[in-house]
Amino acid sequence: MKPWQHMKMYFGNIYEAVATIAVGMWITFKTAFFERKVTIQYPSHDVLEGKARDAVTFPEQELNPPFEPFLGASQQQYRGPLQARIADRYRGFLGYREDKCISCNLCVQACPIEVIAVEGVKIEGRKGRAPVMFRIDYSKCMFCGLCVEVCPTSAIFFTRRFAAATFSYHSLIENFISEEMRQQRLELARQLKQKKRSKTIKRNAKDETTHF
Ligand code: SF4
Ligand code: SF4
């Protein structure tokens, strides 16, 4: 490397160090002096009620916080939806879209602590395998995101739901496929197998006839 290139690199590094510190300090300064301070009276200001997937089903749902004078909350002070206070990339409860899932098991394999369980069957008119069981045990999940990263169809994703306090461990295990849907799909899978078997029998019979 020539001497002038050394010099360029030297001053470039100094510039980069100063610039990154300045950006960081600007964000701190801006947050400290210009951003509106809000005390969220949890849980009365929690907009995303219901199950984890509701946060995704109704992403634009507005917060309409009740006025809670006894809790010290002020309707005047609170002007925005709670979702705006939660970062877009916040890792809350996992959500799941069964219509996108192909039961490939990649999320199961990626999960280091066996949080997810999947079972799928082949049915007509559906890409991949249709899920007949998709269970998440939120009590074990460490929100690492490996399952989300590996999913080829974005069927599993993070919502911004965070409320997990419960007295019952079982309430943290969520079955995303209802028993009714499971039975319907198992029946469709049985029909498909039957259809394939009949086709094979017919083909074999035809082959034998041609052979003789
Ligand atoms: S976020 Fe991590 S721990 Fe939780 S289910 Fe996905 S892979 Fe497993
Ligand atoms: S990785 Fe995605 S598509 Fe595959 S089983 Fe998991 S959720 Fe379904």
Side-chain angles (χ1 to χ4, degrees), residues 190-203:
R190 261 193 298 273
Q191 285 173 10
L192 185 65
K193 265 189 195 163
Q194 187 65 41
K195 210 170 164 184
K196 280 184 181 168
R197 206 173 296 136
S198 320
K199 266 188 187 170
T200 316
I201 293 170
K202 268 187 199 163
R203 199 172 43 237

Side-chain angles (χ1 to χ4, degrees), residues 51-53 94 134-138 170-177:
K51 295 190 173 178
R53 55 179 173 266
L94 287 163
F134 194 93
R135 194 177 57 221
I136 296 181
D137 183 349
Y138 291 115
H170 294 287
S171 68
L172 293 172
I173 300 174
E174 178 141 18
N175 278 304
F176 286 85
I177 307 291

Side-chain angles (χ1 to χ4, degrees), residues 1-2 5 11 17 19 27 44 52 57 62-63 77 83 85 90 101 104 109 125 182 199:
M1 200 184 270
K2 293 180 180 162
Q5 284 175 319
F11 285 109
I27 291 168
S44 62
T57 316
E62 288 279 316
L63 175 68
Q77 281 174 339
Q83 279 169 299
R85 312 295 306 169
Y90 179 80
C101 182
C104 62
Q109 286 161 15
R182 177 183 165 83
K199 266 188 187 170

Side-chain angles (χ1 to χ4, degrees), residues 10 20 35 40 50-51 60 77 82 88 98 120 137 153 160 162 168 170 172 174 182 199 208 212:
Y10 178 75
T20 47
E35 280 205 2
I40 293 173
K51 295 190 173 178
E60 304 310 328
Q77 281 174 339
L82 176 62
D88 284 342
E98 77 80 21
D137 183 349
T153 60
R160 280 171 283 176
F162 55 84
S168 160
H170 294 287
L172 293 172
E174 178 141 18
R182 177 183 165 83
K199 266 188 187 170
E208 274 174 26
F212 290 111

Side-chain angles (χ1 to χ4, degrees), residues 119 131-135 175-187 190:
E119 260 179 44
V132 289
M133 192 262 283
F134 194 93
R135 194 177 57 221
N175 278 304
F176 286 85
I177 307 291
S178 67
E179 186 54 31
E180 193 189 347
M181 189 180 276
R182 177 183 165 83
Q183 292 306 331
Q184 273 173 6
R185 288 189 174 159
L186 288 173
E187 180 54 34
R190 261 193 298 273

